[in-house]
Amino acid sequence: MNLKGKKILLGVSGSIAAYKSALLVRLLVKAQAEVKVVMTESATEFITPLTLSTLSKNPVLTSFTKNEAGEWNNHVELGIWADLMVVAPATAKTLSKCASGHCDDLLTAVYLSARCPVFFAPAMDVDMFRHPSTRRNIEMLTAYGNHFISPEHGELASGLIGDGRLAEPENIVQILNAYVSNRPIAAAKRVLITAGPTVEPIDPVRFISNRSSGKMGYAIAEAFADAGALVTLVSGPTQLRTLHPNITTIHIETAAQMFDATQAHFESHDVVIFAAAVADYTPRHVAEQKIKKQGESMSLDLAKTTDIAGTLGQLKKPGQLAIGFALETENELGHALDKLTRKNFDYIVLNSLNDPGAGFAHDTNKITVIDKEQHVQQFDLKSKEAVAQDILNIVLAKWSEA
């Protein structure tokens, strides 16, 4: 593990998910990291400082003062000491305070003093996580250069099912390990990624599209950018945004526009990842005015769009990697292998709509990766951020071989 010898500061805030911090500390210590823990007062109601102190082999800090004599826990020294800071779980309140600079406890004071990369792993109920104020706070913290480990999908303490579960400790450690180990290999590499759907207009108000949210492509872009790569993201219409300084986003709408943008940047990039869900057909004629309802049926004359991945895959240079995606509903492996060969990919990432939690719109995915020698790697259902790390690690392994 590349976390060996790293000084990691773990911030624990007041969520029921705080119980997972015990396993997280244990895994970090097992990876031979040096761990110090800072807790909010409310976090101590869910897990005792003694538990985390025993596991971390360091005193757990909960306030500015150590004792009645007035000795204090120096937040500045803690912020300088750490190589990485992780806030897990990060509640909506803690996110809000860190985003606004509202510093009224030791944890937020340490965050404001930290000179190291900071990772936030949110945990809260689904509606709290989706609330515009929470989304705004996350956007602000991301703009400040912080990193986010997205919550996972599942049953919450409220009994609701949705996004908001703290990422599993194993996934958090994997992401931290990848961040530490991958930056030297990926530094200055250029990665081109397509993401999201395309929309093919029928008239000024209607269009043909699909259910792609863009979440997988954006997660891959963030993973490579965090690893030091320079990313060009060609994105179809989506509600997602990234403020990562290593990502340049080109917004497009139609398949033709995506082809033009991807083709223009294809040759200059080391890796091209075709994660977008591009329309296979587009209306041959677009009405200038809204089409009025007439008769019992309507026919559209559709023309085939350019196969972006297939066309550019044939132009791949030696040393350049091309990775495609295949979302299938039947004969999944057979269709994926056909795409892998026909489009000259080095790898294809297969997911099936028959797997619960995989495919469009979900925050999770379950993938199988096949290389051109037809070696097959199967992965469990994970958050899309964790899936992105798996894809990143495959590419980094390939670069290391070279």
Side-chain angles (χ1 to χ4, degrees), residues 197-217:
T198 64
V199 296
E200 311 300 321
I202 297 171
D203 63 20
V205 298
R206 302 181 180 92
F207 56 82
I208 299 171
S209 190
N210 56 62
R211 299 181 187 275
S212 174
S213 65
K215 290 178 180 179
M216 191 70 255

Side-chain angles (χ1 to χ4, degrees), residues 139-140 142-143 222 241-247:
E139 289 174 3
M140 289 175 64
T142 303
E222 293 276 353
R241 292 293 182 269
T242 176
L243 299 173
H244 200 294
N246 280 14
I247 299 176

Side-chain angles (χ1 to χ4, degrees), residues 83-256:
D83 295 314
L84 295 171
M85 181 176 180
V86 187
V87 184
T91 60
K93 180 179 180 180
T94 295
L95 293 175
S96 176
K97 287 163 64 175
C98 290
S100 65
H102 182 192
C103 175
D104 65 351
D105 59 23
L106 184 59
L107 194 156
T108 49
V110 171
Y111 163 69
L112 291 177
S113 302
R115 297 183 180 179
C116 61
V118 180
F119 290 77
F120 288 92
M124 63 196 74
D125 210 72
V126 56
D127 295 304
M128 296 173 68
F129 181 66
R130 291 177 177 172
H131 196 278
S133 62
T134 303
R135 309 309 300 172
R136 184 192 66 228
N137 289 330
I138 291 174
E139 289 174 3
M140 289 175 64
L141 287 167
T142 303
Y144 298 157
N146 298 294
H147 307 273
F148 272 81
I149 301 173
S150 291
E152 298 181 0
H153 185 89
E155 186 175 356
L156 305 170
S158 65
L160 297 175
I161 305 294
D163 306 326
R165 286 171 59 96
L166 177 68
E168 292 303 318
E170 294 87 351
N171 292 338
I172 294 174
V173 172
Q174 180 188 20
I175 289 170
L176 296 178
N177 186 62
Y179 178 84
V180 171
S181 60
N182 296 338
R183 289 187 68 83
I185 303 174
K189 290 286 189 180
R190 297 181 63 84
V191 181
L192 176 62
I193 300 169
T194 66
T198 64
V199 296
E200 311 300 321
I202 297 171
D203 63 20
V205 298
R206 302 181 180 92
F207 56 82
I208 299 171
S209 190
N210 56 62
R211 299 181 187 275
S212 174
S213 65
K215 290 178 180 179
M216 191 70 255
Y218 273 71
I220 296 169
E222 293 276 353
F224 275 90
D226 280 347
L230 302 175
V231 177
T232 302
L233 177 63
V234 181
S235 173
T238 172
Q239 294 183 344
L240 303 176
R241 292 293 182 269
T242 176
L243 299 173
H244 200 294
N246 280 14
I247 299 176
T248 300
T249 306
I250 301 171
H251 295 284
I252 58 86
E253 292 194 349
T254 67

